[in-house]
């Protein structure tokens, strides 16, 4: 079943940069879609247009039965809460415990006054601990999040996204700040929640070897346009030069 | 437009419009500098010093004539390199090898500075003769002897007045915190730039806060002492208002310096804007806030003393009363108590702030 569909999506920033140009694609439920492209090709912009962190300039984003680009206020927040997101810089709340960070994923379903006082229900706490167990960090629940290593912080961010009970997870270069072996460990967790929890994933990646290992489908951007859509195995030398340019050497990672 | 004194390349022919604008600005600057100099030379150099007039009348024609003369000189010099304005606006190429002090425009600038310095001495009536005159030294001896022989009989009164001052400063700070905390979010550019309405609120708030801050607490205390009467309450109100303005500015600058990452992440979870601020912004600013607030309390204690001088209550008011009665031994006691408090506050606030790092 089609979960997400982008139609003629265009995004021009207020300073005049056209970051996305006529983007058409759809995502089926359960997919692990990887978006590749050079830095500046519009990958981050695409993910932020999906959950409306950036308003789109024209075109439509369909998510299940909703037009996300037309939602506002409460309705938008409600749909956003069903779309998890993780970031290259993890974006955890500094000075707060790991558990508090994970519980922040439940903000949309918690009354404002309760969340200001930190009054989460017992079920929410247990849920948070359960998600921490999934990413293997239950023992770190009461440690300050900014004291963790990069890989651990990203796993906390994954747990926080899971706390939203999302249909889909957007990952913006989730391993770009991590070393190779940590990268694989984080990607494995994403794969696990994709396969075991059935969460659809859209993930921006830089390295082609990771793409071949984890992607069920690939979408390549260049200068804000889609230049390739298809199976990861089908990206050959020629496609590679189209996407990354003549001088590119296949960047690998093990 | 960069106002650098040392520009390697003059704003060359590449940008004729910019160059044209810069020339006009430079000329205006020269005119002002020269007319100012002529006015100072005429009033202070000729009338006050050369003619040694006790009382110098002022006519509005004088600055006008100065402007005329200044305009003339500036216009003539604008064809040469001896122009401070042209140097400031980068219209003169500086010779790399040559010392800056050998450049005509720099020398001229220093000359203007020297003129201002001398005029300042004259206006502040700096006179070494009075400083070391017999009656002057006798006066100094009298007050220092009295200050060094403080009247311990008023120690208790001084202490109570000092307690009043410290509490006044504390309450002013404490009441200012929640107000500034809320206002700071509306005065932070990064949170308010998104819509025209919020940006308007931001601009108005910023303006009001700058206005409030630019009026010294001393002046506010005078206003409030008429409004609510002389006493600690008027002093407290003055400090409160000034603290709100200062803390709002400092707090909002902290908010502007935060990382957007956590804010973006909280927004992406579907959180309400209030939740986004509470979870994405507040944890990033609490420590600097605390540090600033304690520093503010420290400042407020000092200011409370000064404010007392105009009727804001506390030890300052007491100081003013004894000073008016020329009871220098009592003043000596008060000075000691004030110094002790200021030192104590300074020490305590530095200690606490060091621990907050
Ligand atoms: N907030 C912004 N304002 C203006 N231009 C932006 C902004 N964010 C990104 N861009 C521009 O949009 C283009 C796409 O950027 P981005 O989506 O970050 O690419 P990627 O994630 O693939 O590196 C780039 O040219 C970038 O400079
Ligand atoms: Mg990016």
């Amino acid at each position: 079943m089609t979960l997400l569909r982008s139609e003629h999506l265009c995004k021009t920033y207020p300073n005049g940069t056209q970051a996305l140009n006529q983007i058409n694609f759809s995502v089926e439920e359960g997919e692990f879609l990887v978006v590749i492209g050079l830095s500046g090709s519009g990958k981050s912009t695409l993910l932020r247009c999906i959950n409306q962190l950036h308003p789109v300039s024209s075109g439509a984003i369909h998510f299940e039965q909703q037009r996300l680009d037309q939602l506002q206020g409460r309705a938008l927040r409600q749909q956003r809460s069903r779309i998890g997101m993780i970031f290259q810089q993890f974006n955890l709340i500094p000075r707060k415990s790991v558990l508090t960070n994970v519980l922040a994923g439940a903000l949309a379903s918690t009354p404002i006054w309760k969340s200001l006082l930190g009054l989460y229900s017992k079920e929410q706490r247990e849920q948070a601990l359960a998600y921490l167990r999934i990413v293997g960090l239950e023992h770190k629940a009461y440690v300050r999040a900014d004291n963790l290593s990069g890989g651990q912080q990203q796993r906390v961010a994954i747990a926080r996204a899971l706390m939203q009970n999302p249909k889909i997870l957007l990952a913006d270069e989730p391993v770009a700040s991590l070393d190779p072996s940590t990268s694989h460990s984080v990607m494995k967790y994403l794969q696990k929640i994709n396969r075991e929890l059935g969460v659809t994933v859209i993930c921006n990646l830089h390295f082609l070897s990771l793409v071949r290992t984890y992607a069920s489908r690939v979408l390549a951007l260049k200068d804000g346009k889609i230049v390739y859509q298809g199976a990861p195995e089908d990206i050959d030398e020629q496609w590679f030069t189209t996407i990354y340019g003549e001088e590119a050497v296949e960047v690998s990672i093990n | 437009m960069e106002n650098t004194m040392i520009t390697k390349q003059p704003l060359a022919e590449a940008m004729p419009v910019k160059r044209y604008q810069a020339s006009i600005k430079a000329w205006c600057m020269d005119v002002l500098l020269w007319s100012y100099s002529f006015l100072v030379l005429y009033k202070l150099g000729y009338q006050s010093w050369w003619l040694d007039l006790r009382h110098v009348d002022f006519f509005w024609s004088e600055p006008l004539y100065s402007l005329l003369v200044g305009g003339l000189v500036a216009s003539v010099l604008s064809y040469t390199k001896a122009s401070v304005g042209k140097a400031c606006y980068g219209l003169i190429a500086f010779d790399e090898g040559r010392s800056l002090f050998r450049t005509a425009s720099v020398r001229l600038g220093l000359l203007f500075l020297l003129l201002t310095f001398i005029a300042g001495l004259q206006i502040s009536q700096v006179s070494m003769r009075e400083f070391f005159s017999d009656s002057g030294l006798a006066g100094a001896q009298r007050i220092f002897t009295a200050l060094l022989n403080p009247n311990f009989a008023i120690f208790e009164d001084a202490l109570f007045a000092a307690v009043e001052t410290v509490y006044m400063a504390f309450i002013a700070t404490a009441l200012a915190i929640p107000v500034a905390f809320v206002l700071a979010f509306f005065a932070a550019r990064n949170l308010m730039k998104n819509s025209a309405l919020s940006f308007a609120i931001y601009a108005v708030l910023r303006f009001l806060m700058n206005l409030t801050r630019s009026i010294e607490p001393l002046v506010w205390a005078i206003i409030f002492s008429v409004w609510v009467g002389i006493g600690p309450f008027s002093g407290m109100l003055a400090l409160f208002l000034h603290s709100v303005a200062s803390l709002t500015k400092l707090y909002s600058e902290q908010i502007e310096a935060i990382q957007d990452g956590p804010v973006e992440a909280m927004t992406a979870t579907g959180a309400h804007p209030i939740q986004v601020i509470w979870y994405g912004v507040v944890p990033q600013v609490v420590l600097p806030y605390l540090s600033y607030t304690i520093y503010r309390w420290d400042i407020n204690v000092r200011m409370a003393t000064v404010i007392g001088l105009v009727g804001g209550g506390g030890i300052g008011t007491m100081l003013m009363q004894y000073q008016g009665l020329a009871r220098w031994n009592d003043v000596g006691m008060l000075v000691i108590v004030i110094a002790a408090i200021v030192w104590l506050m300074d020490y305590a606030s530095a200690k606490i702030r060091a621990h907050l790092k």
Side-chain angles (χ1 to χ4, degrees):
Chain A
M1 200 184 84
T2 302
L3 188 62
L4 186 91
R5 192 154 44 90
S6 155
E7 278 175 355
H8 308 293
L9 177 66
C10 295
K11 170 68 186 176
T12 306
Y13 281 108
N15 68 1
T17 312
Q18 182 166 30
L20 294 178
N21 190 358
Q22 295 289 338
I23 301 291
N24 293 296
F25 71 97
S26 56
V27 184
E28 301 299 312
E29 210 163 338
E31 269 193 295
F32 197 117
L33 176 68
V34 167
V35 182
I36 58 172
L38 282 174
S39 157
S41 58
K43 305 183 296 293
S44 300
T45 307
L46 178 62
L47 291 195
R48 281 166 178 73
C49 280
I50 291 175
N51 64 0
Q52 302 294 304
L53 285 180
H54 291 328
V56 308
S57 303
S58 65
I61 302 279
H62 298 270
F63 176 58
E64 298 187 313
Q65 276 81 44
Q66 307 259 3
R67 276 280 299 270
L68 289 186
D69 53 296
Q70 291 181 337
L71 294 181
Q72 274 183 342
R74 197 180 156 71
L76 174 61
R77 294 199 294 275
Q78 201 177 355
Q79 291 309 311
R80 262 185 191 151
S81 76
R82 305 177 63 232
I83 304 174
M85 187 165 193
I86 62 174
F87 305 83
Q88 179 179 347
Q89 297 302 332
F90 326 130
N91 293 353
L92 298 183
I93 308 162
R95 303 183 180 285
K96 294 284 178 190
S97 72
V98 165
L99 187 63
T100 306
N101 266 285
V102 177
L103 284 167
L107 284 177
S109 54
T110 310
I112 294 176
W113 70 271
K114 276 193 178 178
S115 66
L116 294 192
L117 297 173
L119 298 174
Y120 294 97
S121 68
K122 192 153 172 283
E123 295 81 62
Q124 284 176 318
R125 284 172 191 279
E126 276 164 9
Q127 190 85 84
L129 286 172
Y131 287 129
L132 277 175
R133 201 172 311 129
I134 290 180
V135 296
L137 283 174
E138 203 190 8
H139 59 293
K140 296 280 189 192
Y142 299 99
V143 176
R144 250 175 69 163
D146 40 2
N147 287 345
L148 298 185
S149 71
Q152 290 172 329
Q153 289 195 36
Q154 195 61 292
R155 279 146 66 193
V156 175
I158 293 173
R160 171 172 72 188
L162 289 179
M163 195 68 198
Q164 293 173 233
N165 201 5
K167 284 295 283 185
I168 193 165
L169 180 71
L170 310 175
D172 188 12
E173 303 209 26
V175 296
S177 310
L178 304 176
D179 60 62
S181 63
T182 320
S183 292
H184 268 294
S185 127
V186 167
M187 288 308 294
K188 287 229 167 71
Y189 281 109
L190 288 181
Q191 190 172 47
K192 183 169 150 190
I193 65 166
N194 173 248
R195 290 189 179 160
E196 293 174 17
L197 304 180
V199 178
T200 309
V201 177
I202 305 181
C203 179
N204 291 348
L205 281 180
H206 219 83
F207 294 108
L208 210 56
S209 63
L210 284 179
V211 178
R212 291 200 174 118
T213 319
Y214 298 99
S216 67
R217 197 158 62 91
V218 175
L219 193 149
L221 288 181
K222 189 180 183 186
D223 299 329
K225 288 195 187 115
I226 295 182
V227 291
Y228 176 84
Q229 279 199 70
E233 310 78 59
D234 297 341
I235 302 183
D236 53 19
E237 199 66 26
Q238 198 192 336
W239 273 117
F240 189 77
T241 43
T242 318
I243 298 164
Y244 285 101
E246 288 295 331
E247 285 140 75
V249 187
E250 183 161 347
V251 212
S252 97
I253 185 173
N254 32 32
Chain B
M1 184 68 51
E2 292 263 273
N3 294 26
T4 35
M5 278 292 266
I6 306 142
T7 319
K8 267 189 199 155
Q9 272 188 328
L11 260 184
E13 295 68 34
M15 293 184 290
V17 179
K18 281 268 167 63
R19 195 190 156 84
Y20 177 67
Q21 283 178 356
S23 314
I24 293 181
K25 284 184 192 165
W27 181 78
C28 290
M29 189 168 162
D30 279 342
V31 171
L32 285 180
L33 276 175
W34 280 108
S35 0
Y36 159 77
S37 306
F38 284 123
L39 193 64
V40 167
L41 275 177
Y42 176 71
K43 298 299 287 183
L44 292 171
Y46 179 67
Q47 288 186 331
S48 273
W49 186 71
W50 184 253
L51 297 181
D52 204 12
L53 297 176
R54 279 281 128 189
H55 178 75
V56 179
D57 279 325
F58 174 77
F59 301 101
W60 278 103
S61 55
E62 289 164 355
L64 284 181
Y65 281 126
S66 307
L67 210 60
L68 214 69
V69 181
L72 228 73
V73 175
S75 305
V76 171
L77 287 181
S78 67
Y79 292 102
T80 70
K81 284 194 170 183
S83 155
V84 177
K86 276 165 77 173
C88 285
Y89 284 100
L91 297 170
I92 296 176
F94 281 94
D95 190 344
E96 282 286 304
R98 218 156 134 205
S99 158
L100 270 183
F101 293 101
R102 287 168 172 273
T103 321
S105 51
V106 173
R107 285 182 172 183
L108 209 56
L110 288 176
L111 212 65
F112 287 132
L113 212 61
L114 188 69
L115 183 73
T116 306
F117 185 74
I118 293 172
L121 287 181
Q122 165 87 10
I123 287 179
S124 332
Q125 304 181 343
V126 174
S127 155
M128 284 295 152
R129 214 176 310 142
E130 263 167 44
F131 201 83
F132 288 114
S133 70
D134 280 347
S135 67
L137 286 178
Q141 198 190 353
R142 204 168 56 239
I143 191 163
F144 275 117
T145 329
L147 290 178
L148 292 175
N149 290 296
N151 179 9
F152 279 94
I154 65 153
F155 179 70
E156 267 182 31
D157 287 346
L159 210 61
F160 286 135
V163 166
E164 196 174 282
T165 298
V166 173
Y167 273 71
M168 178 172 111
F170 177 74
I171 283 298
T173 318
L175 292 182
I177 294 170
V179 182
F181 183 85
V182 173
L183 288 182
F185 294 112
F186 297 95
R189 195 189 187 88
N190 53 343
L191 300 183
M192 300 297 284
K193 62 167 190 250
N194 291 324
S195 84
L197 175 70
S198 66
F199 193 79
I201 295 174
Y202 157 85
V204 170
L205 191 65
R206 270 275 155 128
F207 175 76
L208 286 180
M209 288 296 139
N210 282 338
L211 194 72
T212 314
R213 226 158 28 83
S214 63
I215 298 173
E216 284 288 311
L218 196 70
V219 179
W220 285 118
I222 293 172
I223 294 172
F224 284 119
S225 67
V226 176
W227 191 337
V228 302
I230 285 178
F233 186 52
S234 68
M236 196 278 283
L237 282 180
L239 288 179
F240 166 75
L241 203 62
H242 200 258
S243 300
V244 166
S246 303
L247 286 178
T248 301
K249 181 178 160 64
L250 288 171
Y251 288 178
S252 61
E253 276 171 2
Q254 277 307 310
I255 297 176
E256 283 169 4
I258 61 164
Q259 297 173 308
D260 313 328
V263 177
E264 194 174 36
M266 289 300 103
T267 311
T269 65
H272 187 275
I274 294 176
Q275 295 172 320
V276 172
I277 285 180
W278 191 254
Y279 280 83
V281 179
V282 173
Q284 296 195 59
V285 295
V286 269
L287 271 198
Y289 271 27
L290 264 178
S291 180
Y292 279 134
T293 311
I294 290 165
Y295 184 50
R296 193 71 224 167
W297 181 29
D298 182 7
I299 294 175
N300 278 348
V301 171
R302 287 157 209 251
M303 281 191 177
T305 312
V306 178
I307 275 175
L309 293 174
V310 297
I315 199 162
T317 302
M318 206 171 163
L319 185 69
M320 177 192 64
Q321 284 161 358
Y322 287 131
Q323 183 260 339
L325 297 171
R327 284 163 59 174
W328 301 118
N329 299 82
D330 296 350
V331 170
M333 186 70 245
L334 295 181
V335 168
I336 290 175
V337 172
I338 290 173
I341 289 172
V342 168
W343 177 80
L344 214 73
M345 285 301 302
D346 200 42
Y347 179 79
S349 103
K351 272 275 167 195
I352 298 174
R353 279 183 290 134
H355 273 285
L356 286 178
K357 285 279 149 61

